[in-house]
Amino acid sequence: MDLHTVTEVISPARPGQWRPGDAWLGGGTALLGEPRPHVTRLLDLAAAGWPPITVRDDGVEIAATCTIAELADRLGRHPIVLQCCHAFLASFKIWNVATVGGNLCAALPAGPMISLSAALDGTCVLVGPDGGERRVPAAGFVTGEGTTVLRDGEFLRAIHLPSGPLGARTAYRRGSLHRHGRSAVLLIGRADPDGGMSLTVTAATRRPHVFRFLSPPSAAEVEAALETIPISGYVDDVHGRPVWRQHLTRHHARRIRAELAV
């Protein structure tokens, strides 16, 4: 879609350049997907040249500008990474343009990079207009449909995934109204070496929900945890009604618990 109100593109962009009416540009697949009449200038982050993936002693840092294709190529040996990449059900063209950071910042419930980052205890690195950094848990980055914790002028610089969760055993379940449809439910379970387990609910809900258990939970404990999500917390759109999404969430949660208990 043409953003006919844009009169200038700053490339490469850097902190200190933002002003009202600006929008940070990554891959552009979300930014250019709908009208944005308030946007008059684009600040190009893709031209900054950040390394897509940086391996550190405590995990990996994924640049916000890392494309889905680069993520799958570099970290696809981890099954959960590849599963979340394929949850896009997108063409190779999208894989080679869409970015990890863009998927988080769009804050669509079905965003699989939101699911991946939240399920693996990711941390989002945010940079403000003055260049200062702050870090927030990925599970709390998205606050609702299309909303995040980003403040005016801030951009998402990177997502850090700690090595422990990245290497843990996981279970993945996804559901939609039809085979090639948008994710209506996406759950990820994670079994940790210390005996704990986490269950992350996304796509079905307006924001991610992460439930943590100190030991393998019983079916009743999982059900009790899911009961804390009110029916109003489930998405209601053409891709699925709240009651149906709630039902699928509970169904897949039971299957994940059973799989990780083995």
Side-chain angles (χ1 to χ4, degrees), residues 146-168:
T147 61
T148 70
V149 299
L150 284 170
R151 301 166 182 165
D152 284 348
E154 273 190 323
F155 63 83
L156 175 61
R157 168 63 181 83
I159 303 94
H160 177 265
L161 300 181
S163 54
L166 184 59

Side-chain angles (χ1 to χ4, degrees), residues 44-257:
D44 183 13
L45 294 175
W50 301 330
I53 305 286
T54 303
V55 179
R56 306 189 185 284
D57 292 339
D58 60 347
V60 298
E61 183 177 279
I62 305 170
T65 52
C66 174
T67 66
I68 306 308
E70 290 170 329
L71 180 68
D73 179 61
R74 295 286 299 277
L75 295 180
R77 65 185 181 278
H78 300 285
I80 192 60
V81 173
L82 208 54
Q83 286 168 324
C84 285
C85 287
H86 282 292
F88 275 97
L89 295 177
S91 70
F92 73 94
K93 295 179 181 179
I94 298 297
W95 266 43
N96 282 278
V97 176
T99 61
V100 175
N103 192 245
L104 271 86
C105 292
L108 298 177
M113 297 297 101
I114 300 170
S115 313
L116 178 68
S117 302
L120 298 184
D121 291 350
T123 298
C124 295
V125 181
L126 314 181
V127 178
D130 61 354
E133 289 188 2
R134 68 182 180 112
R135 296 171 180 262
V136 299
F141 178 75
V142 173
T143 57
E145 293 181 78
T147 61
T148 70
V149 299
L150 284 170
R151 301 166 182 165
D152 284 348
E154 273 190 323
F155 63 83
L156 175 61
R157 168 63 181 83
I159 303 94
H160 177 265
L161 300 181
S163 54
L166 184 59
R169 187 162 63 98
T170 57
Y172 167 96
R173 294 291 187 279
R174 176 187 171 276
S176 64
L177 282 173
H178 54 91
R179 182 178 179 184
H180 297 296
R182 176 180 292 184
S183 298
V185 179
L186 201 162
L187 277 72
I188 298 173
R190 194 185 82 222
D192 293 324
D194 63 3
M197 176 184 148
S198 67
L199 177 67
T200 300
V201 178
T202 57
T205 52
R206 301 181 186 280
R207 63 172 179 83
H209 291 266
V210 181
F211 302 102
R212 304 182 190 281
F213 307 92
L214 296 179
S215 59
S218 65
E221 288 174 319
V222 171
E223 288 286 342
L226 294 177
E227 283 288 345
T228 64
I229 305 176
I231 194 65
S232 61
Y234 287 87
V235 178
D236 185 1
D237 62 14
V238 296
H239 301 286
R241 297 307 179 199
V243 172
W244 176 72
R245 291 177 191 260
Q246 182 187 61
H247 168 75
L248 267 191
T249 296
R250 293 175 176 177
H251 169 69
H252 288 315
R254 288 192 291 268
R255 296 180 65 191
I256 285 175
R257 188 199 71 85

